[in-house]
Amino acid sequence: MDDSEFERNNELQIRAMAADTSLETLTRQWFDRSIQHGYSYHFRWMGLPVIQYPQDMIAMQELIWRIQPDVIVECGVARGGSIVYYASLLQMVGRGGRVIGIDIDIREPNRKALEAHPMAKHFRLVEGSSIAADTLALVRAQIRSDETVLVVLDSNHTHDHVLRELELYSPLVRKGSYVVVFDTVIELIDASFDDRPWGHGNNALTAARAFLATNPRFEIDHRIHDKLQITVAPYGYLRCIAD
Ligand SMILES: C[S@@+](CC[C@H](N)C(=O)[O-])C[C@H]1O[C@@H](n2cnc3c(N)ncnc32)[C@H](O)[C@@H]1O
């Protein structure tokens, strides 16, 4: 099978998967159940916890290879595994890319582990709310206007917060790159998030939909969630289609 036949075959299989409602039901059930076991907390990248489902991290690797960004801006650092993951991929891409990680609360042990990490010189930390004017100003000051930027939103998942992040950070993204909105899955599963300010009707997916309704520069890349199936970001991989 040559490469184009391989890809044609994949396309057909992905389309069939996307239309398979039984698989979708099973996936939602599996997802709900996996949350009960704290599934997303069980993985590390280069020693640091990365609070994600591994499928999304492979999707991010594919995006980073395709886009080859100069800068990845991530809102929501937590224990640092995701920014280290993106920084290490950028090193492998070999174009000197860097990561800017924003978090409202970078706890001391996490900061120490990040500062001591072999990837430390390939990311910068900004402490502050992602939607505060001075945080955005600090981020913007580190990015030149001709640089290719990929944005990842993974902080506070309420509607208002994510919508504001989309408004503030999407202007950094140019045609061909993406804003990735994590945890849109909250809207689509049965699990309730009683200990969190977000939940059904108030989350990253409701925000992404509101943003898309008035921002024709972006569209959902359906192919990504169609092929992942297991993802925290269904309808959350937003491709920029116009400068
Ligand atoms: C889901 S965790 C991030 C996980 C991380 N991206 C990873 O993949 O390992 C969410 C983080 O968002 C941070 N956060 C919450 N509200 C925030 C805000 N207003 N601005 C910036 N960060 C915020 C929290 O402190 C927490 O560390």
Side-chain angles (χ1 to χ4, degrees):
M1 203 187 282
D2 67 18
D3 212 43
S4 58
E5 200 183 338
F6 180 75
E7 270 314 305
R8 258 199 317 279
N9 208 28
N10 284 342
E11 280 310 318
L12 291 174
Q13 288 172 334
I14 290 167
R15 250 182 266 158
M17 266 200 310
D20 183 344
T21 50
S22 310
L23 179 62
E24 190 185 353
T25 304
L26 285 170
T27 305
R28 296 276 176 257
Q29 285 172 349
W30 180 89
F31 209 100
D32 259 317
R33 193 90 189 156
S34 71
I35 289 177
Q36 292 173 25
H37 295 286
Y39 187 88
S40 65
Y41 295 97
H42 304 159
F43 305 95
R44 285 177 185 254
W45 182 261
M46 294 182 75
L48 297 185
V50 48
I51 304 166
Q52 293 290 353
Y53 279 54
Q55 288 81 355
D56 287 302
M57 292 299 94
I58 289 292
M60 291 304 296
Q61 176 276 138
E62 291 190 7
L63 275 187
I64 289 167
W65 178 251
R66 175 146 55 92
I67 298 165
Q68 310 224 335
D70 300 299
V71 187
I72 297 176
V73 176
E74 179 164 61
C75 299
V77 170
R79 292 166 188 265
S82 56
I83 62 166
V84 165
Y85 177 67
Y86 304 140
S88 62
L89 288 173
L90 288 172
Q91 288 320 291
M92 286 192 270
V93 166
R95 294 184 59 248
R98 62 196 188 280
V99 180
I100 302 173
I102 304 159
D103 202 292
I104 197 166
D105 179 17
I106 303 175
R107 300 196 185 140
E108 210 38 44
N110 299 338
R111 182 183 285 281
K112 277 199 180 123
L114 281 164
E115 283 172 357
H117 198 276
M119 282 294 140
K121 61 177 181 294
H122 305 299
F123 58 79
R124 295 274 175 280
L125 295 171
V126 174
E127 189 162 17
S129 174
S130 53
I131 60 171
D134 52 348
T135 304
L136 183 67
L138 275 172
V139 172
R140 278 189 167 281
Q142 297 179 49
I143 301 174
R144 292 196 318 270
S145 60
D146 62 340
E147 290 189 303
T148 300
V149 182
L150 168 63
V151 168
V152 185
L153 304 181
D154 191 24
S155 69
N156 174 334
H157 304 305
T158 59
H159 177 96
D160 288 350
H161 188 85
V162 177
L163 185 54
R164 191 71 189 128
E165 284 182 332
L166 281 162
E167 287 162 359
L168 294 176
Y169 292 89
S170 66
L172 298 172
V173 175
R174 297 268 172 270
K175 188 176 174 183
S177 190
Y178 283 65
V179 176
V180 179
V181 186
F182 279 130
D183 282 4
T184 49
V185 76
I186 292 166
E187 179 70 358
L188 304 175
I189 53 178
D190 290 336
S192 56
F193 300 86
D194 299 337
D195 57 337
R196 305 286 185 155
W198 49 81
H200 294 126
N202 171 20
N203 55 61
L205 183 55
T206 59
R209 285 176 175 155
F211 172 76
L212 289 169
T214 55
N215 285 276
R217 282 208 317 124
F218 288 86
E219 67 178 16
I220 296 167
D221 186 342
H222 288 266
R223 193 180 183 280
I224 298 181
H225 62 245
D226 282 350
K227 78 172 174 179
L228 291 178
Q229 296 289 315
I230 293 172
T231 170
V232 303
Y235 311 99
Y237 288 88
L238 308 184
R239 175 172 47 212
C240 183
I241 53 171
D243 279 333

